[in-house]
Amino acid sequence: MPSFCCKMFPAKPPSSFTIIRLFLLLILFIFIFNFYSRAILEDEQNLNLRLSSQHSVAQQLPLPSEKLWEAPFSAGLHPCVNPTSTYQAFQEGDHYITVRSNGGLNQMRTGIADMVAVSRMMNATLIIPELDKRSFWQDKSIFSDIFDEDHFIDSLKQDVRVLKKLPPELLSIPRARKHFTSWAGLGYYEEMTKLWADYQVIHVAKSDSRLANNDLPLDIQRLRCRALYHALRFSPSIESFGKKLVERLRAHGGRYISLHLRYEKDMLAFSGCTYGLSAAESEQLRLLRENTNHWKVKKINSTEQRISGLCPLTPKEVGIFLQALGYPQSTVVYIAAGEIYGGKAHLSELTSRFPNVVFKETIATEEELRIYSNHASQTAALDYMISLESDVFIPTHSGNMARALEGHRRFVGHRKTVSPDRKGLVDIFDKLESGQLKEGLTLQQLVEHLHEKRQGAPRKREGAPDGIKGRARYKAEESFYQNPYPECICSSKHRYR
């Protein structure tokens, strides 16, 4: 059978056309195989590259929790306070300025820095200022109790001569007693030098806000920064103790928020803010305001104050605010303030949300704090140091300490400072109170959006709002000490460091 088959159907050799056709099909198959293999390989490589890139970006981008603590991007900005090339060393003369500083610690600090600059402009020797002993705080501290007097004198020797006391032979001579105009410029003080024709000593009764915020010579502005941030250092004992308290806070929880909780009795009485208080508490504050002679405004509408954003946040509002920003319940919150009005009854509205609330009394012993009792300005200096070094600073009201710390934190590297939009928050809090809004994602988004640009990022100092004219515009300008940019904060390419 096999032989029969083979004989019946003899094999035919393939034609040349068939061979060529098979060869072309083979080439086409090889081409298609290589093409798709290369495409698959490229897709795998691209996928790996994308995954690698995403992993790299993920490593670079902070986690959401890290964003709560990180400082705003400052684009290489840094302090620059050295004099320009045209600045000349101080030429000693025979004129003297004595000063009585007024207000609390930070009102006095910025006022003293102003008077250093005024003494320079008027070519006068500055006598160590007398501190306010008659204000609400009733602090009997002298300059050397709070500040490093020798360092102050030595660090300013190229700018202005500073003496601890007026020379004895000048104690009995008549002095020109002067209330220098608020927010005055160089021209005003050049005019004031005419007083030297009749007087050898000028006594300045108030030191706060004696200089304009803007339009002063660059070297005068930088001198103000050298005076405040370098020369006006706290006393060695306060510096040492303040650093110790910061170390204890770090050991306690690593990172911490410093909360300037302006919920003290005097603050609420002065501002007329009684939201959330009982009728008895409100009446107590009204009587305090009525009986404090140097508080000129006696009748205040508390509701209007709050709606206008002029009231400090309450402890309850602060708790809601911090949670909405995303801070976890375990966050360490240092209270930089005096005694909270209503004590634990009101403070519990914050501690129920953030139980790790600490005070000086929490991190220091009774013995350590004893020397600071009845010295409000010295304890305020400790609060200032702790707040300056904090990871996040949050003031609940825009007072002197809040402004001074915001400016100082900008100066040392734009450390994170969250300034609550109190006017915007009132509407949110009222909706929560009425049930129109619930705590959760929507609240968090509203609060975060409201504060995107209120975290201490670099920006130039703001002028007066539109529509304000005359001398009122000087008061309405942003404080120089709240934001010393651009005069005392420069980019790396700036000539003067």
Side-chain angles (χ1 to χ4, degrees):
M1 189 68 182
S3 61
F4 174 79
C5 289
C6 290
K7 288 179 180 178
M8 286 295 292
F9 302 100
K12 291 182 180 180
S15 66
S16 59
F17 175 76
T18 301
I19 294 172
I20 292 172
R21 187 170 61 181
L22 291 171
F23 180 73
L24 291 174
L25 288 171
L26 179 63
I27 292 175
L28 179 62
F29 175 77
I30 293 171
F31 173 78
I32 293 172
F33 177 79
N34 286 338
F35 177 82
Y36 280 103
S37 297
R38 188 180 301 112
I40 292 169
L41 182 62
E42 287 179 354
D43 284 345
E44 288 181 349
Q45 289 175 338
N46 289 336
L47 177 61
N48 290 335
L49 186 61
R50 286 196 300 271
L51 289 173
S52 174
S53 174
Q54 289 170 5
H55 179 67
S56 176
V57 170
Q59 286 182 322
Q60 294 173 14
L61 291 175
L63 297 171
S65 60
E66 291 298 314
K67 284 186 176 182
L68 295 172
W69 301 98
E70 66 175 359
F73 180 63
S74 56
L77 295 174
H78 59 86
C80 54
V81 296
N82 286 353
T84 67
S85 57
T86 60
Y87 191 75
Q88 298 180 352
F90 177 74
Q91 303 296 316
E92 289 190 15
D94 201 23
H95 305 129
Y96 299 83
I97 289 179
T98 61
V99 180
R100 192 187 74 81
S101 296
N102 60 300
L105 174 69
N106 291 287
Q107 193 172 351
M108 291 191 292
R109 287 177 67 249
T110 54
I112 290 168
D114 275 0
M115 295 316 302
V116 168
V118 168
S119 297
R120 168 80 190 194
M121 289 188 291
M122 295 188 67
N123 194 36
T125 295
L126 176 66
I127 305 303
I128 287 291
E130 175 190 351
L131 303 187
D132 192 339
K133 298 178 177 60
R134 293 181 292 179
S135 66
F136 181 87
W137 296 272
Q138 296 291 307
D139 190 340
K140 304 301 181 184
S141 300
I142 62 173
F143 190 95
S144 59
D145 291 330
I146 302 175
F147 304 110
D148 188 334
E149 194 171 62
D150 292 330
H151 173 78
F152 181 73
I153 293 170
D154 185 64
S155 62
L156 292 171
K157 61 186 178 184
Q158 297 299 317
D159 302 298
V160 61
R161 184 171 67 154
V162 182
L163 297 179
K164 294 183 179 181
K165 294 182 179 180
L166 197 64
E169 64 273 16
L170 301 179
L171 291 174
S172 59
I173 66 172
R175 304 180 194 182
R177 298 186 178 274
K178 195 69 181 170
H179 280 80
F180 286 142
T181 298
S182 300
W183 300 289
L186 177 62
Y188 172 83
Y189 286 104
E190 287 177 340
E191 183 72 17
M192 287 298 100
T193 59
K194 292 181 179 180
L195 291 170
W196 298 134
D198 299 313
Y199 297 95
Q200 198 173 349
V201 181
I202 296 175
H203 177 69
V204 181
K206 284 189 174 183
S207 63
D208 67 320
S209 304
R210 296 306 104 183
L211 276 178
N213 294 303
N214 303 302
D215 302 322
L216 286 169
L218 177 59
D219 274 319
I220 292 300
Q221 297 288 58
R222 290 192 175 176
L223 174 56
R224 296 169 84 180
C225 289
R226 290 199 297 279
L228 186 63
Y229 302 133
H230 291 175
L232 207 53
R233 190 166 67 189
F234 292 124
S235 69
S237 62
I238 291 176
E239 286 275 334
S240 176
F241 189 42
K243 289 176 181 176
K244 188 180 294 185
L245 294 181
V246 170
E247 290 172 1
R248 290 176 187 174
L249 267 172
R250 296 282 183 212
H252 181 74
R255 294 182 292 202
Y256 67 95
I257 291 174
S258 177
L259 178 68
H260 189 38
L261 186 60
R262 293 309 315 272
Y263 211 71
E264 303 104 333
K265 185 177 181 179
D266 66 300
M267 178 65 208
L268 297 176
F270 175 76
S271 62
C273 295
T274 58
Y275 174 78
L277 299 179
S278 67
E281 289 172 326
S282 299
E283 178 62 12
Q284 184 184 46
L285 297 179
R286 187 194 68 78
L287 291 174
L288 175 59
R289 184 170 66 253
E290 185 70 30
N291 295 323
T292 303
N293 293 329
H294 61 276
W295 291 351
K296 303 302 180 185
V297 180
K298 301 300 181 183
K299 293 184 178 181
I300 300 176
N301 186 312
S302 179
T303 302
E304 290 180 0
Q305 283 283 93
R306 183 170 177 270
I307 292 174
S308 301
L310 300 176
C311 289
L313 300 185
T314 69
K316 180 181 179 180
E317 291 170 340
V318 171
I320 296 171
F321 177 64
L322 292 179
Q323 281 190 336
L325 288 175
Y327 289 99
Q329 190 179 31
S330 59
T331 301
V332 175
V333 180
Y334 175 79
I335 303 296
E339 184 178 352
I340 303 303
Y341 186 58
K344 291 183 180 180
H346 289 305
L347 192 61
S348 63
E349 297 177 321
L350 170 60
T351 56
S352 62
R353 295 171 183 264
F354 290 88
N356 289 329
V357 167
V358 296
F359 296 82
K360 284 182 290 294
E361 294 77 9
T362 312
I363 54 176
T365 66
E366 186 177 341
E367 181 64 29
E368 287 174 322
L369 293 174
R370 184 171 291 119
I371 62 172
Y372 298 99
S373 61
N374 301 318
H375 294 291
S377 293
Q378 293 183 47
T379 55
L382 294 172
D383 280 338
Y384 188 95
M385 288 188 64
I386 294 169
S387 298
L388 179 63
E389 296 300 324
S390 66
D391 298 278
V392 180
F393 174 63
I394 301 178
T396 64
H397 195 264
S398 54
N400 291 305
M401 181 170 172
R403 289 193 292 269
L405 270 165
E406 180 181 345
H408 202 161
R409 288 172 68 86
R410 288 180 179 277
F411 180 77
V412 295
H414 290 89
R415 295 172 181 172
K416 190 163 191 171
T417 301
V418 183
S419 301
D421 184 339
R422 298 191 305 278
K423 188 173 182 179
L425 285 171
V426 165
D427 182 56
I428 292 176
F429 293 144
D430 285 349
K431 286 180 178 178
L432 280 174
E433 190 73 23
S434 65
Q436 299 177 57
L437 180 65
K438 302 293 183 183
E439 291 191 47
L441 182 59
T442 301
L443 172 64
Q444 185 172 340
Q445 290 173 340
L446 286 171
V447 171
E448 286 179 349
H449 178 71
L450 197 61
H451 294 86
E452 283 177 345
K453 297 182 179 180
R454 301 179 69 91
Q455 303 196 27
R459 61 171 176 77
K460 291 187 177 181
R461 191 167 58 257
E462 297 175 351
D466 294 337
I468 300 180
K469 298 181 179 180
R471 290 202 58 81
R473 73 183 187 276
Y474 297 122
K475 184 177 181 179
E477 291 175 342
E478 184 177 20
S479 165
F480 173 78
Y481 296 113
Q482 185 175 0
N483 185 8
Y485 180 42
E487 297 93 338
C488 299
I489 300 174
C490 307
S491 63
S492 56
K493 65 182 182 180
H494 203 283
R495 179 179 172 186
Y496 303 109
R497 308 290 176 83

